Amino acid sequence: MKLFAFDHCPFCLRALMMPAYKGLKVDVVYLDNDDVQARIDKVGANMVPILQKEDDSYMAESLDVVAYLDSQNTSNALLAATQQPQIEAWLNETRMSISRLLFPRWLRAGQPELATDSAKAYFEAKKTPFIEMSFAQADAQTQTWIAELTPQLEMLAQWLVLPSARQNQLSYDDILLFPHLRNLTVVRELQWPEHVKRYLDEVQKITQVPLLHAQSS
């Protein structure tokens, strides 16, 4: 099997969490961010992740890909979500602060899908309207977004369940939440509550999805 993805994309990271956790052989291919045609040729739409299955057919939609990979063997089956409403509410509350912190940093973090000037230009043009300011403006106000996010991380620490509390099994809660927290490790000045930091370390160990402290700025 082959997984076409972006390293910075939280939806792609959902799928990227699965191979190591499930013990599956999946080759990962990082597409250029601006190579829209490569996605359309496979699934008829500009979307990632895309899984090429063993019969060479393609499938998209991140949670469908996760479910398919989960079905490939019976080991380490994903547990059902138990905190989805809290996670979705938390992500909705923090989406703008997270985006304004992350988008400028992706241009300098060395992600393979953003290795070319054209890919970076495409990304910036697509994402600027979402954050309602230029990347330079968002970057210059880093401390504002950190100040908005810090109490939200403290709140998250009060109800976040560690994998070690459930025999190191992952659940769909982790599939929904970990990608966003992992991406925030690219923000150097962000201070993590100890419980959330432990969560990141535990899920990283289980999934082998690397954190981004070494690429942070």
Side-chain angles (χ1 to χ4, degrees), residues 109-126:
Q111 263 59 34
E113 65 273 13
L114 294 168
T116 67
D117 289 341
S118 62
K120 291 176 181 176
Y122 177 85
F123 178 80
E124 187 165 3
K126 285 289 185 180

Side-chain angles (χ1 to χ4, degrees), residues 74-88:
T74 58
S75 68
N76 296 327
L78 287 172
L79 301 174
T82 61
Q83 297 182 303
Q84 186 170 348
Q86 297 102 305
I87 290 169
E88 290 178 348

Side-chain angles (χ1 to χ4, degrees), residues 6-27:
F6 298 154
D7 185 65
H8 77 276
C9 167
F11 302 102
C12 296
L13 288 167
R14 293 173 175 180
L16 289 166
M17 293 169 70
M18 295 300 290
Y21 180 64
K22 296 291 293 186
L24 299 173
K25 172 61 173 156
V26 179
D27 295 323

Side-chain angles (χ1 to χ4, degrees), residues 30-161:
Y30 293 106
L31 298 171
D32 289 340
N33 190 259
D34 59 333
D35 190 0
V36 175
Q37 194 61 46
R39 278 97 76 182
I40 293 175
D41 288 345
K42 293 173 177 60
V43 294
N46 180 19
M47 60 193 306
V48 282
I50 299 167
L51 181 70
Q52 185 176 7
K53 298 188 286 187
E54 291 177 337
D55 64 1
D56 288 332
S57 65
Y58 296 102
M59 68 180 301
E61 297 293 349
S62 61
L63 291 179
D64 290 344
V65 172
V66 167
Y68 180 81
L69 294 174
D70 193 34
S71 74
Q72 294 307 289
N73 62 50
T74 58
S75 68
N76 296 327
L78 287 172
L79 301 174
T82 61
Q83 297 182 303
Q84 186 170 348
Q86 297 102 305
I87 290 169
E88 290 178 348
W90 191 87
L91 291 174
N92 284 332
E93 184 69 26
T94 60
R95 183 169 285 112
M96 189 60 77
S97 299
I98 289 175
S99 298
R100 287 171 171 171
L101 283 169
L102 293 184
F103 289 175
R105 284 168 171 79
W106 293 140
L107 298 187
R108 54 181 183 263
Q111 263 59 34
E113 65 273 13
L114 294 168
T116 67
D117 289 341
S118 62
K120 291 176 181 176
Y122 177 85
F123 178 80
E124 187 165 3
K126 285 289 185 180
K127 298 299 186 182
T128 294
F130 179 81
I131 60 173
E132 302 173 345
M133 61 179 63
S134 71
F135 277 26
Q137 290 171 319
D139 212 17
Q141 296 181 59
T142 287
Q143 292 305 319
T144 298
W145 320 134
I146 287 178
E148 289 180 358
L149 189 57
T150 296
Q152 295 292 337
L153 288 171
E154 296 287 354
M155 184 185 307
L156 176 65
Q158 296 175 20
W159 52 262
L160 183 61
V161 177

Side-chain angles (χ1 to χ4, degrees), residues 87 90-91 156 160 173-181 199:
I87 290 169
W90 191 87
L91 291 174
L156 176 65
L160 183 61
D173 290 331
D174 303 307
I175 296 297
L176 296 175
L177 180 62
F178 173 77
H180 300 274
L181 297 180
Y199 173 84

